[in-house]
Amino acid sequence: MATASMIMPPTLGVCSTKRSSSNGKCTNGRRLNVKAMSFGKSYLELYNVRVEKKASPERLAELGVSRWSTWKTGHGKLAWDWHVDQLVYIEEGEVFVVPQGCKSYLQFEKGDLVRYPKWFEADLFFFGPYQERYSFRAYGDDA
């Protein structure tokens, strides 16, 4: 398995210093975020990724998240492409998502509900234990 320093995303957006692999923070203490901009749009808008930060228990119950499939991993990098829309609820840890051809990243953490669009391609970086529940969405299913 590669060490965390070998699998870091190529550019860390707002953080210009080396990042600690244990706590997801820059060595200067600043938190990494998704506020990078491209052509006046956030990367969330540019790539059509939607996120509900700290989704409420009511929202999770409405979606039936407790019945979704579970996936977990540890440190590592995963190249992924979505052939269908996927809704993900992060139960543990955080993930850094580097869209294909992009030099910055999106960051999602425990409690976030993320919708990845069909045909989205990215490298996913994990720097500790990570667990999610996921559901593939049908065309037109706009949860």
Side-chain angles (χ1 to χ4, degrees):
M1 175 68 64
T3 64
S5 63
M6 294 172 58
I7 59 170
M8 289 181 67
T11 302
L12 296 178
V14 299
C15 180
S16 60
T17 59
K18 187 175 179 181
R19 186 167 63 84
S20 164
S21 63
S22 63
N23 65 8
K25 292 184 181 178
C26 302
T27 54
N28 65 7
R30 289 188 302 169
R31 192 83 180 142
L32 303 175
N33 64 38
V34 296
K35 293 186 179 172
M37 301 293 282
S38 178
F39 305 109
K41 291 186 174 185
S42 74
Y43 284 122
L44 290 172
E45 292 172 303
L46 187 65
Y47 292 103
N48 198 26
V49 173
R50 292 185 285 175
V51 61
E52 293 178 38
K53 302 299 272 179
K54 307 298 180 202
S56 71
E58 294 80 19
R59 176 72 168 135
L60 301 177
E62 171 191 335
L63 294 170
V65 170
S66 64
R67 295 186 307 272
W68 293 359
S69 299
T70 302
W71 182 78
K72 59 184 166 181
T73 189
H75 288 327
K77 174 185 174 186
L78 174 66
W80 194 254
D81 60 333
W82 286 260
H83 294 275
V84 296
D85 283 8
Q86 183 179 22
L87 200 51
V88 169
Y89 175 68
I90 301 172
E91 294 185 308
E92 177 184 4
E94 64 186 341
V95 59
F96 295 86
V97 179
V98 180
Q100 183 179 30
C102 186
K103 294 187 178 187
S104 194
Y105 61 91
L106 307 169
Q107 176 188 359
F108 305 114
E109 59 193 5
K110 180 180 178 176
D112 291 349
L113 183 65
V114 184
R115 176 113 185 205
Y116 295 104
K118 182 177 181 178
W119 306 125
F120 180 63
E121 295 181 51
D123 290 329
L124 309 177
F125 294 85
F126 307 96
F127 296 99
Y130 175 86
Q131 181 171 312
E132 70 180 28
R133 290 199 174 259
Y134 66 92
S135 174
F136 297 115
R137 313 310 282 185
Y139 179 79
D141 182 8
D142 198 27

